[in-house]
Amino acid sequence: MTLPLMPKATAVWLIEKTGLTFVQIAEFCGMHPLEVQAIADGEVAAGINGYDPVQNHQVTALEIKRCESNPDARLKISSAASPVKRRAKGARYTPVAKRNDRPDAIAFVLRQFPQLAETQIVKLLGTTKDTIIKVRDRQHWNSPNIKPRDPVILGLCTQTDLNAAVAAANDRLAREGQALPVVEAFSVRGDED
């Protein structure tokens, strides 16, 4: 069973605001019943503020009422998506060791997914439009050494994010009535024989 965020703070709130038993709170928060009793006695977690699991969509008020009326019932965490929001994409810190890989990833995306808009590439790889234009026009300071490499393998984005960006670009082209670009498979030198 998944545990609520901040289990001790959630236990503090449940002790203070509900009529649940120590066993019910302990099982919901992944604690031992004696630890919950120590929190109730003020021996443990004295300075911790309570964390409201109802307001944070971890459990419903109806679920708490159901369990308060039946001491043998167990609280169930809500199946809603995690209340923790993912960090917004876009400009982000890239370790120094991976910064030289970014032009390679840009070249790969430009070659394999020409339907992606510059703004999508900026968000996907955490780069700038200026860098994309320089790589595209071969004006980048390191152009002779740029080799198209998959950004997922380089660790600059996830496969899920790349797939989502490509799907969004394909949907945009379909709405505009344009055909999807055909990407030629590139071959390894020497196998033309």
Side-chain angles (χ1 to χ4, degrees):
M1 182 174 129
T2 56
L3 297 175
L5 293 175
M6 302 192 312
K8 278 192 180 179
T10 301
V12 168
W13 188 90
L14 290 171
I15 290 167
E16 292 174 355
K17 306 288 184 187
T18 68
L20 296 171
T21 66
F22 293 155
V23 173
Q24 288 173 315
I25 295 171
E27 287 189 8
F28 181 71
C29 295
M31 304 171 134
H32 193 277
L34 292 176
E35 188 176 7
V36 174
Q37 184 176 355
I39 292 172
D41 294 341
E43 298 170 6
V44 177
I48 295 179
N49 292 327
Y51 184 73
D52 185 351
V54 176
Q55 182 180 0
N56 294 296
H57 310 290
Q58 296 181 68
V59 69
T60 63
L62 292 173
E63 180 70 9
I64 290 176
K65 287 190 188 313
R66 180 186 70 84
C67 291
E68 282 177 330
S69 64
N70 180 5
D72 295 327
R74 299 294 172 241
L75 275 175
K76 294 179 185 162
I77 197 159
S78 295
S79 60
S82 173
V84 177
K85 300 232 185 308
R86 287 187 64 191
R87 185 177 108 30
K89 299 293 175 191
R92 59 183 171 266
Y93 177 75
T94 302
V96 175
K98 291 188 178 187
R99 288 184 192 164
N100 289 334
D101 294 339
R102 198 177 274 153
D104 293 350
I106 293 169
F108 179 87
V109 169
L110 289 173
R111 176 188 281 179
Q112 295 298 329
F113 307 107
Q115 67 268 37
L116 289 177
E118 288 177 356
T119 54
Q120 288 179 300
I121 299 171
V122 166
K123 289 179 183 177
L124 186 67
L125 301 179
T127 187
T128 62
K129 286 186 179 183
D130 185 51
T131 305
I132 295 168
I133 292 167
K134 286 181 179 177
V135 169
R136 180 184 292 135
D137 298 339
R138 300 193 186 279
Q139 299 297 318
H140 191 271
W141 67 270
N142 198 21
S143 284
N145 299 322
I146 294 177
K147 296 178 184 79
R149 295 190 294 163
D150 192 339
V152 175
I153 293 172
L154 294 173
L156 295 172
C157 68
T158 64
Q159 187 67 50
T160 305
D161 292 339
L162 180 61
N163 291 346
V166 171
N170 289 345
D171 290 345
R172 178 180 47 81
L173 288 178
R175 276 194 316 272
E176 294 172 357
Q178 299 178 14
L180 294 177
V182 178
V183 179
E184 296 179 20
F186 53 94
S187 61
V188 179
R189 290 186 182 156
D191 65 349
E192 290 99 15
D193 299 303

